Amino acid sequence: MKCGNTDSESSENEELLNNLLKMGVDVDMAKKRQPGVFNRMGTKEQDLKMFLLSKGASKEVIASIISRYPRAITRTPESLSERWDLWRRIMTSDLEIINILERSPESFFRSRNNLNLENNIKFLYSVGLTHKCLCRLLTSAPRTFSNSLDLNKQMIELLQEVCLSLGHNEPRDFVGKIIFKNPFILIQSTKRVKTNIEFLQSTFNLNNEQLLILLCGPGAKILDLSNDYVSRNYTNIKEKLFSLGCTEEEVHRFILSYPDVVFLGEKKFNDKIDCLIEEKISVSQIIENPRILDSSISTLKSRIKELVNAGYNFSTSNITLLSWSQKRYKAKLKKLNTEQNIVLGN
């Protein structure tokens, strides 16, 4: 073991280490992420630095990029320039690209196949995706452009077939809406997406028009979830609400009005429902205002306590303010406290 470690250390490129340290790179982080880079000769860290500086990146940003994705220093200036030009077909400025690299350097440097990137961009534009939609894909799901062209074609063709089978004659519009709502769908399997669509239609007994509306709206986010995860969480939601006296119709209305609830794991969903019931919020109020489940349990408890102390009556008043933004909620709470002080004569 001792001998092995010594050999590993001696095989590292000393010149590279010195260069990276001078550039402010977190070498320890970089070694943990991609240790093989440090055994390579002929790396291009100086070329990378000069290229990114020319595009407006600061030295600190460049150091951060290399620390988190050291393989970036293996890319040639020619490849970088070509890839940058391709990204600029989607992004409106160099600064936008720099901001993405700062958040997710892997999205730019992970693949060196510029021809595949170019072909995917051309294809996605050809099927009707807008510039805005491609920007969303690049910032949220950049792996889309590392997919083989065939994989992206398979998913687009599936979505087009679903659209036509539901009686909608504008597949370009349908595909664009789903991908904009759920930019991660192109990096999932067609089997998963197809199974989830079938689950939604059969479980909620939706007609074609209802399913179209759901898929083009909030239901699009569900399509790339694990089929088991969707089914398990749906079953848990149903059983929990049944135990509180809800009918199947009410359960379906609850989920369809806010499909994001399916993302909540079993324990988290049950704990939030129990918390609200304990605080005298009725299950009918929860069903009518499902967005309150976005808030954490600690937030729900503290807000309920503050509002009750301010004289707010949940049995006769709306509970939507439990899910308001902090700024909006604080303003409302301040107003309630002021009104209560006036009534009490303080």
Side-chain angles (χ1 to χ4, degrees), residues 195-243:
T195 303
N196 279 333
I197 290 174
E198 291 170 351
F199 173 84
L200 289 172
Q201 185 163 32
S202 61
T203 301
F204 298 102
N205 195 27
L206 303 174
N207 60 38
N208 288 352
E209 184 179 357
Q210 290 170 327
L211 183 58
L212 272 170
I213 293 171
L214 181 64
L215 295 180
C216 290
K221 293 181 182 179
I222 296 175
L223 297 182
D224 63 346
L225 291 176
S226 156
N227 309 136
D228 289 340
Y229 185 81
V230 172
S231 179
R232 186 171 63 249
N233 284 356
Y234 164 73
T235 299
N236 177 68
I237 293 169
K238 183 171 67 172
E239 290 177 351
K240 182 65 177 177
L241 295 183
F242 276 2
S243 72

Side-chain angles (χ1 to χ4, degrees), residues 1 34 39 77 85 92 104 110 135 138 140 144 147 155 190-191 203 216 245 262 272 340:
M1 291 297 291
Q34 293 164 352
N39 299 326
D85 289 343
T92 57
S104 174
R110 182 173 182 265
C135 281
L138 199 55
S140 303
T144 299
N147 278 354
M155 183 61 75
T190 53
K191 180 181 178 182
T203 301
C216 290
V262 175
K272 287 186 177 183
Q340 186 182 45

Side-chain angles (χ1 to χ4, degrees), residues 71-223:
R71 203 174 294 152
I73 65 175
T74 66
R75 306 296 185 245
T76 66
E78 296 76 20
S79 177
L80 289 173
S81 181
E82 183 180 2
R83 196 166 191 80
W84 198 277
D85 289 343
L86 289 170
W87 272 48
R88 278 301 306 270
R89 294 186 186 181
I90 301 174
M91 311 306 291
T92 57
S93 70
D94 289 342
L95 181 60
E96 279 188 286
I97 300 178
I98 292 296
N99 288 336
I100 294 175
L101 299 194
E102 189 174 1
R103 297 194 305 271
S104 174
E106 182 182 3
S107 61
F108 186 87
F109 296 104
R110 182 173 182 265
S111 171
R112 64 176 80 210
N113 190 337
N114 290 334
L115 179 59
N116 186 63
L117 170 63
E118 183 176 17
N119 288 337
N120 273 319
I121 291 173
K122 287 179 180 177
F123 169 68
L124 293 173
Y125 271 131
S126 75
V127 297
L129 296 193
T130 63
H131 179 81
K132 185 177 181 181
C133 191
L134 261 68
C135 281
R136 183 165 168 77
L137 281 174
L138 199 55
T139 54
S140 303
R143 277 181 52 201
T144 299
F145 299 93
S146 298
N147 278 354
S148 70
L149 184 59
D150 283 343
L151 277 178
N152 284 335
K153 282 185 175 180
Q154 287 173 24
M155 183 61 75
I156 296 295
E157 287 169 1
L158 169 66
L159 294 177
Q160 291 171 336
E161 289 170 8
V162 168
C163 171
L164 295 173
S165 71
L166 296 178
H168 189 53
N169 58 4
E170 295 183 18
R172 288 166 71 95
D173 176 65
F174 177 77
V175 169
K177 285 180 177 177
I178 286 186
I179 293 178
F180 189 76
K181 288 282 186 181
N182 184 355
F184 303 100
I185 195 169
L186 287 169
I187 57 178
Q188 301 301 333
S189 72
T190 53
K191 180 181 178 182
R192 171 179 287 193
V193 171
K194 186 176 181 180
T195 303
N196 279 333
I197 290 174
E198 291 170 351
F199 173 84
L200 289 172
Q201 185 163 32
S202 61
T203 301
F204 298 102
N205 195 27
L206 303 174
N207 60 38
N208 288 352
E209 184 179 357
Q210 290 170 327
L211 183 58
L212 272 170
I213 293 171
L214 181 64
L215 295 180
C216 290
K221 293 181 182 179
I222 296 175
L223 297 182

Side-chain angles (χ1 to χ4, degrees), residues 305-321:
K305 183 177 180 180
E306 289 172 338
L307 290 167
V308 169
N309 289 339
Y312 197 80
N313 188 340
F314 282 104
S315 63
T316 58
S317 304
N318 202 310
I319 66 170
T320 56
L321 69 174

